[in-house]
Amino acid sequence: MSILKEIDHGTPAITSTKTVSAKINGINVSVPDGTSIMRAASLNGIEIPKLCASDNLESFGSCRLCIVDYKDRSGFGYPSSCTTPITEGMEVTTHNKKLTHLRKNLMELYISDHPLDCNTCAADGDCELQDQASSLSLLGTNNMLKPTRYSSIKNDHLGQPVDSSNPYFNFDPEKCIVCSRCIRACNEVQGTYALSLHNRSYDTQIKPGISESFLKSECVSCGACVQSCPTGSLIEKTIVEKGIPDKTVITTCGYCGVGCSFKAELNNNEVVRMTPYKDGKANHGHSCVKGRFAWGYTNHVDRITKPMIREKITDPWQEVSWDRAVSFAAEKLTKIQQEHGIQSIGGITSARTTNEEAYIVQKLIRTAFGNNNVDTCARVCHSPTGYGLKQTFGTSAGTQNFDSVLASDVILVIGANPVVAHPVFASQIKKRIKQGAKLIVADPRRTEMVESPHIKADYHLPLLPGSNVPLINAFSHVAVTEKLIDQNYIDQRCDTESFNDWKEFISLNIHAPENAEMATGLNATQIRAAARLYATGNNSAIYYGLGVTEHSQGSTMVMGMANLAMATGNVGSVGCGVNPLRGQNNVQGSCDMGSFPHELAGYQPIENDKLRGAFEKKWQVTIQNKPGMRSLNMFDAAVAGKFKGIYIQGEDFVQSEPNIQHVEEAFQSMECVIVQDLFLTETASYAHVFFPATSFLEKDGTFTNAERRINRVRPVMEPISGKHEWEITQDLALAMGYQMNYSSSSEIMDEISELAPTFKGVSFDKLDKLGSVQWPCNDEAPEGTPIMHVGEFVKGKGTFILTEYVPTTEATNRKYPLLLTTGRNLTQYNVGTQTRRTANNIWGEDDVLEIHPADASTRGINNETLVLLRSRKGETTLKAAITENIPPGVVYTTFHNPETGANVVTTENSDWATNCPEYKVTAVEVEPAEHRSEWQINRAKKLEQFRQIRNP
Amino acid sequence: MTDQIKIYIPKETSACSVGSELIAEKITDLAQGHKHISIIRNGSWGAFWLEPFIEIEKNGNRKGTSYLNKKISHLSSIEELFDDFYNSNPFNIMDIDFIKRQTRLVFSRIGLYDPLDLNQYRNSHGYKGLEKSFEIGQQQTIDEIKKSGLNGRGGAAFPTAIKMQTVLDQESTIKYVACNADEGDGGTFSDRLIMECDPYSLIEGMTIAAYSVGASHGYIYLRSEYPLAKYFLTEAIKILKSHNLLGKNILGTNFSFDIELRIGAGSYVCGEETAMMESIEGKRGLVRSKPPLPAIKGLFNQPTLINNVITLASMSVILFHGKEIFSQFGSGKSVGTMPYQLCGNIKQGGLIEVPFGITLNEMIYDFGAGTFNEKPIHAVQIGGPLGFYLPAHLLNTPLTIEALMDLKGSLGHGGVIVFDDSTNMALQAKFAMDFCAVESCGKCTPCRIGSVRGVELIDKIYNGTAVKADRVLLEELCETMETTSLCAMGGMTPNPVRSIMKYFPNEMMI
């Protein structure tokens, strides 16, 4: 595909049931009432010159190039077509001699204050100022701006220094035309308000913050300003270095579960820019710093591009051919099974690969391995979501599309910090809040979601870690006892018996807010007020993250939220619902693909003979009819000597699992650990086989985001390793004696849609045609399902489930008086494998321990000094960050950096239903430290040994 | 018992600027212990050449004299002051032509008494207009304004009742009234005089306006350069609140209304209504595009009635006296009285409220008594810094909205500035562009860059380095600014420049 230039209609689309008809240049046009003249013209193929207008921003009217004339106009000024709505019967002229003359004069004013250096400007050929000049014959040779009639005048803004402080883009003030698109993008699209106009009149200039550099300002580097800049003033460094792109490939971001669509833009077959795609249904042309800029890891020098093997983990790695690596792995696995039985090996599907790649790994395990020992990283994040929502609603996924939030009246965010973890969706939430929706945030920390410019949560409930269930039960108690429930909805949509049981249960006084004070640390009045707001706020929506699931009562909490939503009639329509914010690009997809030991693709129970039979027929094997081991069971079995081999597709257990030391022991007990990844991860230190994986830029397939949206991932280059990941798995299967004959990932999707009813209507052809679809996509919903459970729950009647609170055993005491909870920051992603290999490190690579000033001072801890963090499981050191954003008694850190080893201290406690680890609650003590912990020192030593690669 | 003696010492900016505070201090000292003497800080009569104009009222006989350049520091007793005063040929202000010839409707109370004396205000028909309005209801009030023919006095002369009707017709539950008191035009002061000398009439007018359109909250946006007006408004609001004339259930009705005073930050363009709204909302004073009209989507996105100080103060007059008080005068858009403000090189400058239609000649000679330095008149600028310049041979022009429009000018806010023949008109043209270059909000291109290019071009002409093409370019620039600017600031900046090119061609020669 050549370069894709999206049409910019200049002003946002208007939703109105009323249509107006008018004439533009004699052409009849019909548009929704309220549409600007500019947009109406553009929709009818008439382009009106513009510089300050863009259809993702409210109209502004500053450049004046878009002036038009219309019949019976009064007054002497010409109206700007971006700010003037077209009205019934209007007869508009967009181009005539007079208008062209005035536009030319306006352009001369712009050019009189602009450098005449197009031939050395990085934006040459990709500049709206240049385009407009061209259409008004103001370009000279080499497409250079011509000197204007004002040329002898010296008063201009030239010669100002370029701000290159941001690692990804430059700001050159002399090229700025003060159209304010950057400011408006920052305010309206991103919601950060980092930029502003300084001074007035001719001295007006754009500045980040209060005359700070971009890097020092509040800028979050989402790139919206750069994208909106019509000149070369704000420009990506990659464009400056490598030139403007000549080719576009539409694909999907490989970071979080929002699943933003991007235009990968290439120059000479090399990616030079990732620009969010306007038609992307999850992101509508917006992005965050990770997807937009942090893709440099894909060709980082650390990347392993050749297969490697070794007999023992203490041996150096040896690069070998693909054939050798595959046969080495197959022989080892086969031998293990011969010696230790069929159950002695297993595998893990990745939440970062495509659906097709995940599917084929679980198929390999259920066929070539002959067991169901397959699990996926969702085990440690959203398995309670799958379980809880299936029990109550009948599906293991969120109920809404992202756009639904724009119809919400009350937004309840629990245990999630979308501003840093799902920034593009957070911008959408903020947009809605600014339109007047109410916000409740339940989080121990005062997160960025609680308060930011023009956003303030109506209620922030800083509950103690581990007390979600009493909180949600108190919400439901208030709704039921104050008669705020939607009895009609319940009668029609829900199972009466389960409701009556639940009603009796939740009405018990133990669930009253007053009795939740002790467990939650909250004030009952506040809980009541927030609960009333949720119950009575018309469209109330719940968005939640790992702060809900990663608890020993994770599944209870998910069901507690589902109960509340059903009781108040908030499931099955736009604007409400219960929605997990999923962490990884394809964590939803990996679950959908049958990656759990008890389920086949499309959540079909393995124990169901009929459903399993269909797979057996298709795959021509007998599949074991009992669930296999979960990942935690595999590790326990490994330590017990019963589990010896594992094939891990893209997951770094040794950093991301709780109680790392136990996991390390498990890996050291295995005989064949196969890691398929981009880099030598922490887990790869314990591997015997390394299969080099592909980055998202090399993949051909699909990702499924948190709203069940299946997006296409298209390769912009051939796999650097020489093999697609599905080919590796297929080869391994063959080497172990099971034949798969896929010639493309599209064929794999065809098989998925044949076997999984919810994917019945999905094919690459359809995705290419529609852009994306949300499952279920079948005969009833051939174009997918944006909102689930409309009219009826997937399981028929919604089921209320009793949600008794069983506190975690991980309690504080005198020795471990503080509660540690963990989370994310904006610029690092997950275990940091990718982001630590990008310039994002400029914003900090290290995890820090957030601690309240009171807790810090009683322990003699100073800001930014090293502290020892100790739990019953282990100890590590990191730097302290003293902040009042965390309540006394609670400490907080991220787990992005392996050196920190935050998971050395977390425990093996896990969700009672799904074994999702309790990352969010660990009793700890903190004290000043003088040196790194023993674990950290040992790790550094081991790394050196385990990561050696023998020179070929 | 001795008869009460009242000494009036104006507390108004122009009087204060020529020493009335010092005089007040001195006289207060002298009057100490004399219980029969009361000192009243009244407003100004608007006859500025007389300021500080001190009056003494004895036996109901009120006379005054100008204390400009009058030494009183040597006086040692109140008796000496009285002797000195009565030896200075004091006269009743009502007897001088400058006042006698005026038709003071809106400015009927200025100078009379202490502007914060609510009893006096109410005794001189104060709050009778509001009572009338309550009596006849919202729609009738607007109809009364409509029939009076009142147009906006801020500069655009838009029919006031149309705005009111639009706001009334909006279904919103929240509506606002905003008083534009950002009187920034050089040579204008009528808003200030009302605010300093009769603040209650403005607030009564605002209350009428608010009641008629259904607004419950009002803002007065006052320029920071008017500290005394700020004082009077602040005090007036306080007093009215304590008398149930602002706040909940005004005069025992169901109508509640509060006013907040907002002070500008020194920006001229914040007198442009949309920039003013941005500023009131706490944002940078950037001009908004219209539509949407403020009457439909104004302050905080709610329907908002925006009026100038004089327009609002006129409402109390019209409601009390009835529509005819205005409609009897003038025709077309120029109906009622207009408070002209005469200044510049003039002997008798000040506020002149007369019916529309007076000519410049009458104003300058009958009221103003000619130039201050006796030099011949060269030009008159009408309507503030963005107004046009008229040459001496057009002084027979009547000061009506229509007549000035015919000459491609506008009356604006009613400022008239007189220039003598020593004026360099090229520099005046440059000043117009310069004013825009300093005061532009910086949003739209023709105003932001065009004004600076305008200054540069006129500079070239003034320096004699311009060529014919520069004049063509200047003309094109003026046209571009006039027809493409976002607001009247950029749109009207070419007015003075073009009028100078037209009427004073020799002074802009190339």
Side-chain angles (χ1 to χ4, degrees), chain B residues 296-478:
Chain B
I296 293 166
K297 221 174 163 187
L299 269 175
F300 307 103
N301 284 326
Q302 303 299 333
T304 304
L305 180 73
I306 302 177
N307 279 128
N308 160 262
V309 173
I310 308 295
T311 320
L312 289 164
S314 303
M315 291 188 192
S316 343
V317 177
I318 295 165
L319 262 291
F320 169 63
H321 291 285
K323 54 190 179 289
E324 296 80 12
I325 191 81
F326 258 52
S327 63
Q328 63 178 316
F329 301 116
S331 64
K333 279 175 92 74
S334 309
V335 171
T337 56
M338 175 74 202
Y340 299 97
Q341 299 123 79
L342 182 61
C343 63
N345 191 342
I346 194 82
K347 249 190 209 123
Q348 296 185 173
L351 181 103
I352 301 163
E353 184 182 358
V354 288
F356 277 102
I358 183 174
T359 66
L360 274 170
N361 264 324
E362 288 166 331
M363 175 155 299
I364 291 167
Y365 294 106
D366 297 354
F367 285 92
T371 55
F372 184 76
N373 59 6
E374 310 275 346
K375 283 191 171 184
I377 290 177
H378 186 52
V380 177
Q381 189 181 24
I382 301 163
L386 311 182
F388 69 153
Y389 290 86
L390 281 184
H393 71 265
L394 286 176
L395 294 188
N396 57 351
T397 307
L399 289 169
T400 63
I401 291 161
E402 290 82 354
L404 297 176
M405 260 175 68
D406 287 346
L407 292 170
K408 296 196 167 167
S410 75
L411 179 58
H413 186 47
V416 176
I417 309 179
V418 179
F419 294 84
D420 70 28
D421 64 357
S422 64
T423 313
N424 183 315
M425 295 310 285
L427 289 180
Q428 291 305 118
K430 182 184 159 187
F431 171 73
M433 286 290 187
D434 224 0
F435 186 77
C436 184
V438 171
E439 297 292 352
S440 165
C441 78
K443 183 171 173 178
C444 78
T445 314
C447 182
R448 177 174 62 92
I449 305 181
S451 56
V452 171
R453 297 291 169 254
V455 172
E456 292 162 347
L457 283 172
I458 298 171
D459 244 350
K460 276 170 105 179
I461 295 172
Y462 179 69
N463 294 333
T465 56
V467 293
K468 278 271 184 306
D470 289 322
R471 194 185 165 101
V472 174
L473 187 55
L474 180 61
E475 273 163 12
E476 283 187 30
L477 175 65
C478 283

Side-chain angles (χ1 to χ4, degrees), chain A residues 64 78 98 153 155 199 201, chain B residues 284 437 445 456 479 483-484:
Chain A
R64 314 308 294 167
Y78 290 101
K98 185 85 200 165
I153 283 159
N155 196 347
N199 301 326
S201 64
Chain B
R284 178 186 166 83
T445 314
E456 292 162 347
E479 185 197 13
T483 57
T484 71

Side-chain angles (χ1 to χ4, degrees), chain A residues 38-347:
Chain A
M38 177 181 277
R39 187 177 177 91
S42 177
L43 291 170
N44 287 279
I46 301 163
E47 201 186 331
I48 299 175
K50 61 177 188 293
L51 280 171
C52 72
S54 183
D55 58 13
N56 64 341
L57 305 173
E58 291 303 320
S59 65
F60 193 58
S62 78
C63 78
R64 314 308 294 167
L65 281 185
C66 72
I67 50 166
V68 291
D69 201 357
Y70 56 86
K71 206 176 154 193
D72 301 327
R73 177 177 60 86
S74 62
F76 31 10
Y78 290 101
S80 46
S81 60
C82 62
T83 60
T84 311
I86 197 160
T87 52
E88 187 65 36
M90 204 180 223
E91 292 181 30
V92 181
T93 303
T94 65
H95 290 77
N96 62 25
K97 228 175 132 183
K98 185 85 200 165
L99 293 169
T100 303
H101 171 74
L102 290 170
R103 284 175 187 147
K104 205 166 171 170
N105 275 330
L106 286 166
M107 278 302 294
E108 272 195 282
L109 290 174
Y110 272 126
I111 297 169
S112 76
D113 188 33
H114 196 88
L116 306 177
D117 63 353
C118 301
N119 60 341
T120 57
C121 175
D124 187 17
D126 187 18
C127 170
E128 292 179 38
L129 189 74
Q130 203 179 21
D131 295 344
Q132 297 303 341
S134 166
S135 68
L136 293 162
S137 316
L138 291 167
L139 289 189
T141 47
N142 297 332
N143 288 328
M144 297 264 286
L145 293 171
K146 275 200 285 205
T148 69
R149 289 180 288 167
Y150 298 105
S151 59
S152 61
I153 283 159
K154 288 280 169 261
N155 196 347
D156 56 40
H157 293 107
L158 307 189
Q160 298 179 75
V162 175
D163 176 354
S164 54
S165 60
N166 188 287
Y168 297 117
F169 60 85
N170 292 342
F171 173 52
D172 185 350
E174 73 170 13
K175 288 176 180 153
C176 174
I177 60 166
V178 202
C179 63
S180 293
R181 270 165 74 168
C182 51
I183 298 179
R184 291 182 288 140
C186 190
N187 297 358
E188 295 171 26
V189 179
Q190 165 59 25
T192 292
Y193 296 83
L195 306 179
S196 59
L197 286 175
H198 280 231
N199 301 326
R200 67 184 185 210
S201 64
Y202 192 69
D203 297 332
T204 307
Q205 285 202 294
I206 311 289
K207 301 256 169 153
I210 303 166
S211 287
E212 294 148 320
S213 69
F214 263 89
L215 187 65
K216 293 265 160 66
S217 75
E218 294 123 324
C219 168
V220 293
S221 300
C222 69
C225 57
V226 184
Q227 192 186 346
S228 68
C229 181
T231 71
S233 185
L234 279 161
I235 193 163
E236 296 87 353
K237 287 188 168 156
T238 45
I239 299 293
V240 176
E241 285 156 17
K242 295 175 176 168
I244 60 170
D246 52 31
K247 187 179 162 192
T248 307
V249 178
I250 307 292
T251 189
T252 304
C253 178
Y255 278 112
C256 79
V258 176
C260 296
S261 296
F262 271 89
K263 292 189 293 181
E265 297 183 303
L266 293 82
N267 174 321
N268 211 1
N269 290 321
E270 182 188 5
V271 178
V272 292
R273 178 162 69 190
M274 295 291 288
T275 312
Y277 184 44
K278 244 166 55 171
D279 282 351
K281 306 250 178 9
N283 59 320
H284 304 291
H286 190 39
S287 60
C288 78
V289 58
K290 296 185 282 272
R292 175 83 156 93
F293 295 120
W295 39 270
Y297 71 88
T298 55
N299 55 9
H300 191 272
V301 61
D302 286 355
R303 205 166 144 191
I304 306 295
T305 55
K306 295 203 173 67
M308 302 190 298
I309 57 170
R310 60 184 174 186
E311 275 301 329
K312 300 196 300 291
I313 59 171
T314 46
D315 292 344
W317 282 108
Q318 190 179 350
E319 288 180 358
V320 293
S321 70
W322 273 112
D323 285 349
R324 174 77 186 108
V326 169
S327 60
F328 180 85
E331 281 159 21
K332 280 207 165 233
L333 293 174
T334 310
K335 187 161 163 269
I336 290 168
Q337 280 192 311
Q338 282 164 358
E339 289 172 7
H340 300 278
I342 202 98
Q343 299 297 347
S344 60
I345 64 170

Side-chain angles (χ1 to χ4, degrees), chain A residues 889-909:
Chain A
V890 181
V891 291
Y892 166 87
T893 189
T894 49
F895 73 110
H896 299 305
N897 194 317
E899 202 184 324
T900 316
N903 284 324
V904 173
V905 297
T906 52
T907 72
E908 291 148 310
N909 274 11

